[in-house]
Amino acid sequence: MEFDFTPVITYFPTLLKGVGVGSLVAVIVAFMSIVGGLLVAVISIYINKIVSWPLRFFIWLFMTTPLLLQLYFLYFGLGEWILIPAIFVGILGLGFHYMAYNADIFVATIKSVSNGQYEASRSLGFGHAATIFYIIVPQAFIRSIPQLGNNMILMVKDTSVLSAIGVAELVYASQYAISVSFRPFEFFIVIAAMYYLINIFMELGQVWLERETAYRR
Amino acid sequence: MDFNLMIEVTPLLVKAAWITIDISIRSLFFGFFIACGLVFLQSFQFAPIRWFARGYISVIRGTPYFVQLLLVFYGGPSIGLRLDPITCGVVVGAFNIAAYMSEAIRGSIESVDSGQVEASRSLGFGKVQTLVSIILPQSAALMIRSIGILAIVLIKNSSLVSIISVVELTYQAQRLIGSTYKPLEIFTLSAFMYVIIIYAVMGIIELAYRRAMRYTTL
């Protein structure tokens, strides 16, 4: 057995394009899952039971079933009514999946903000909604950063699963090159290395962000 | 909802769910021993051995399970590693979860107060004896909890084995969706099965956790 990395070098631009698509998906999903997760958490805590029950069910359902099953469901389920590109299905699926995980974190951190904060804010003349958005949520958000960071690192790794429904990210981008060059080992080693590199940068970013926000907690 | 269809496909999905359970249990079993080995390697005085263990854990945790699976299944034959799909799923699952699990085991051992070790050593217990009869019983509860969480992660990860054509729950569900064009029915059924499996695991963990809590000093 000998290794031949020349096809990897030849197809490197394709792989980089895959990294680009993957990063784009990851950024959109990160935004969607954090904002959506926060909304879901706030609604499920503060609004009445009729609204919050379906949302809790949603969190629970997305946390107890595997991502791939959810992706298949969305891909084939949505495909029945409208034809949308795989990348949107991927963003929706991954977004909902991590929205549920993030909502779970936000529920815990919002509840961890002391009740005295709410009372103090109300007695200073803030309304109910203003208290939630200016006093409670910012404090809860800062406290959520370490766990959000972990989730986002997991999420970036999970973008590789989107290749199963045909999103042209890194793994999918390599499929053609592998089938032409017959060098799966070399390609997957390089792909793994790329993911590892991205992961290291994200971990460094997480450490930096945690240090920057530590004094606010 | 087409209930006749749901009744019709249930046996197929149950059969596939057994494969999911089978792969997960076997990965967990082997993964536990690999994890113990990794914890052991990290306690070596000789630094390169510790670096090897740390490096392994870092690389496994830093790369997607999905890529690891594809690397071993499609790339394995070119370095002389030919595995059938199910074995590949079990092996990659075990080596993957071991990296996470060794951190969990190490964390739970380190959570025991160091005063316990000193007290035990000064009372004349040997190193191994201290580990077995003082530290492990006290860290058992925490260890069971964190291994339980990893077991659930493992069950959900096992769905990715469908990519290398193991007919487990997700693969069967996808195939049935493709042939019946009834995604909602099939999704409901297969999600229900994952829920049952995961809740069964959570129940077992809770029982074991309560039993282990007797030995903690917290």
Side-chain angles (χ1 to χ4, degrees):
Chain A
M1 105 210 143
E2 69 272 9
F3 297 124
D4 180 12
F5 282 94
T6 40
V8 180
I9 297 163
T10 319
Y11 285 101
F12 206 69
T14 323
L15 295 186
L16 282 184
K17 214 185 269 176
V19 174
V21 173
S23 314
L24 180 72
V25 169
V27 168
I28 298 173
V29 167
F31 184 74
M32 172 180 163
S33 65
I34 290 174
V35 173
L38 192 57
L39 271 178
V40 169
V42 167
I43 292 171
S44 77
I45 289 177
Y46 292 109
I47 316 266
N48 62 14
K49 281 208 167 70
I50 301 157
V51 190
S52 71
W53 260 94
L55 282 177
R56 275 173 202 230
F57 178 72
F58 157 86
I59 295 178
W60 172 83
L61 185 67
F62 274 79
M63 287 181 78
T64 40
T65 53
L67 173 66
L68 191 59
L69 189 67
Q70 294 160 14
L71 286 175
Y72 283 144
F73 171 64
L74 282 177
Y75 190 56
F76 293 104
L78 290 176
E80 223 176 329
W81 299 305
I82 32 167
L83 257 171
I84 49 173
I87 188 161
F88 290 118
V89 180
I91 288 171
L92 274 183
L94 205 58
F96 280 134
H97 189 77
Y98 279 95
M99 198 188 281
Y101 278 93
N102 289 347
D104 195 52
I105 291 170
F106 285 129
V107 167
T109 49
I110 287 175
K111 283 185 178 164
S112 81
V113 175
S114 140
N115 224 5
Q117 294 281 334
Y118 180 82
E119 285 156 15
S121 157
R122 285 310 294 268
S123 68
L124 285 170
F126 281 88
H128 178 66
T131 303
I132 292 168
F133 280 100
Y134 293 118
I135 310 294
I136 310 280
V137 165
Q139 294 186 59
F141 193 84
I142 298 280
R143 284 183 202 184
S144 317
I145 283 175
Q147 293 168 69
L148 283 181
N150 285 343
N151 270 1
M152 291 304 102
I153 288 172
L154 288 176
M155 182 269 285
V156 167
K157 287 194 283 173
D158 272 349
T159 55
S160 61
V161 179
L162 298 186
S163 64
I165 57 165
V167 177
E169 49 67 65
L170 191 47
V171 175
Y172 191 83
S174 68
Q175 300 285 303
Y176 174 74
I178 289 171
S179 65
V180 174
S181 66
F182 299 112
R183 291 278 172 198
F185 187 79
E186 287 84 341
F187 270 101
F188 283 125
I189 279 284
V190 170
I191 289 170
M194 285 162 121
Y195 269 108
Y196 187 52
L197 208 65
I198 294 170
N199 210 271
I200 286 174
F201 279 116
M202 287 196 69
E203 268 171 31
L204 289 177
Q206 191 193 11
V207 169
W208 175 82
L209 201 63
E210 274 177 42
R211 209 178 42 219
E212 284 296 302
T213 56
Y215 71 96
R216 290 168 184 265
R217 240 171 286 153
Chain B
M1 287 285 230
D2 185 348
F3 288 104
N4 286 333
L5 175 80
M6 284 171 83
I7 293 165
E8 213 173 293
V9 299
T10 301
L12 287 173
L13 286 173
V14 169
K15 207 174 147 202
W18 276 113
I19 307 275
T20 292
I21 296 171
D22 180 47
I23 290 177
S24 308
I25 289 178
R26 282 200 276 168
S27 300
L28 193 68
F29 180 76
F30 294 121
F32 180 71
F33 288 105
I34 301 167
C36 289
L38 283 170
V39 174
F40 180 61
L41 287 184
Q42 283 182 73
S43 69
F44 266 65
Q45 287 291 320
F46 186 54
I49 292 181
R50 286 205 309 271
W51 295 337
F52 168 75
R54 294 300 317 160
Y56 174 82
I57 292 168
S58 164
V59 167
I60 294 289
R61 297 198 339 158
T63 52
Y65 173 59
F66 190 62
V67 174
Q68 292 162 11
L69 202 61
L70 295 175
L71 174 68
V72 173
F73 189 69
Y74 293 112
S78 60
I79 54 163
L81 188 71
R82 272 168 220 282
L83 298 171
D84 65 281
I86 290 189
T87 315
C88 183
V90 171
V91 168
V92 179
F95 275 96
N96 177 273
I97 211 71
Y100 293 88
M101 210 187 283
S102 72
E103 294 287 89
I105 293 173
R106 207 168 56 98
S108 58
I109 287 175
E110 280 171 2
S111 76
V112 177
D113 191 69
S114 61
Q116 296 278 338
V117 181
E118 286 153 21
S120 149
R121 295 285 287 158
S122 67
L123 284 170
F125 283 86
K127 266 187 181 166
V128 177
Q129 221 176 353
T130 304
L131 181 71
V132 172
S133 46
I134 308 291
I135 301 177
L136 286 184
Q138 293 189 61
S139 55
L142 188 59
M143 206 183 287
I144 287 167
R145 258 284 152 84
S146 31
I147 289 179
I149 293 168
L150 289 173
I152 290 167
V153 171
L154 193 64
I155 291 164
K156 287 197 276 179
N157 269 352
S158 78
S159 70
L160 297 180
V161 180
S162 65
I163 296 299
I164 55 172
S165 69
V166 176
V167 188
E168 46 69 76
L169 197 43
T170 301
Y171 186 87
Q172 188 64 276
Q174 187 238 354
R175 209 155 65 171
L176 287 170
I177 291 173
S179 61
T180 61
Y181 295 108
K182 295 263 192 264
L184 186 64
E185 282 86 343
I186 306 290
F187 176 74
T188 310
L189 262 182
S190 43
F192 183 62
M193 281 175 198
Y194 272 111
V195 168
I196 290 177
I197 296 172
I198 286 171
Y199 270 70
V201 171
M202 278 162 68
I204 295 168
I205 295 161
E206 197 54 39
L207 283 179
Y209 176 73
R210 283 205 201 136
R211 217 187 144 77
M213 274 301 275
R214 289 181 204 168
Y215 306 108
T216 54
T217 44
L218 297 172

